[in-house]
Amino acid sequence: QTQKGSPQYINGELIELPDIPSDSEEEDDDDDDDGRKKHFLPPKWAESPELQLALAQQQSWDPQEIFGEIPPLKMEEIFKTRDTKKFRARTSSANWNGADGLTQEE
């Protein structure tokens, strides 16, 4: 049984990444095949003056005054499971001494 060595990686300084398109280039991606821009057309009811007024009046409302205090999140009640270890606190991912460490073959 032979052991594998570490993989050889390229020097990170030598890696060439593609250019990120500028904002003007990204706008071209929104064109249809015939050159027209794709735009979201909201339904008529969403543009009514009554709705706009109601939303403007409600934007400063406190949701807790309407719906009450938000209770603490209890994961065990939401995701009922027999495995209580499923929601254990996270540990450092740099801990290689645990059960999830590499095996001799790896």
Side-chain angles (χ1 to χ4, degrees):
Q1 194 177 41
T2 60
Q3 287 194 350
K4 296 180 185 175
S6 294
Q8 297 297 316
Y9 294 104
I10 313 172
N11 178 352
E13 300 295 323
L14 301 177
I15 297 174
E16 287 190 37
L17 298 174
D19 288 334
I20 297 173
S22 68
D23 289 341
S24 62
E25 289 175 304
E26 287 180 15
E27 288 176 2
D28 294 341
D29 293 342
D30 292 339
D31 289 348
D32 277 334
D33 291 337
D34 61 1
R36 290 180 297 142
K37 293 274 186 198
K38 297 180 216 173
H39 290 288
F40 172 74
L41 297 174
K44 296 256 187 257
W45 63 263
E47 297 178 336
S48 74
E50 293 84 2
L51 177 61
Q52 297 301 317
L53 178 63
L55 292 174
Q57 292 171 342
Q58 295 173 22
Q59 70 182 2
S60 62
W61 291 2
D62 180 5
Q64 289 193 21
E65 287 183 20
I66 298 168
F67 299 107
E69 188 174 337
I70 299 170
L73 180 63
K74 297 179 182 175
M75 297 288 286
E76 294 79 13
E77 290 180 12
I78 296 172
F79 301 102
K80 302 219 184 281
T81 177
R82 287 183 220 128
D83 185 7
T84 56
K85 295 178 185 174
K86 207 168 215 168
F87 301 115
R88 68 185 190 280
R90 270 196 75 172
T91 59
S92 169
S93 59
N95 180 5
W96 294 101
N97 297 324
D100 64 344
L102 295 173
T103 64
Q104 192 65 24
E105 292 90 29
E106 293 172 321

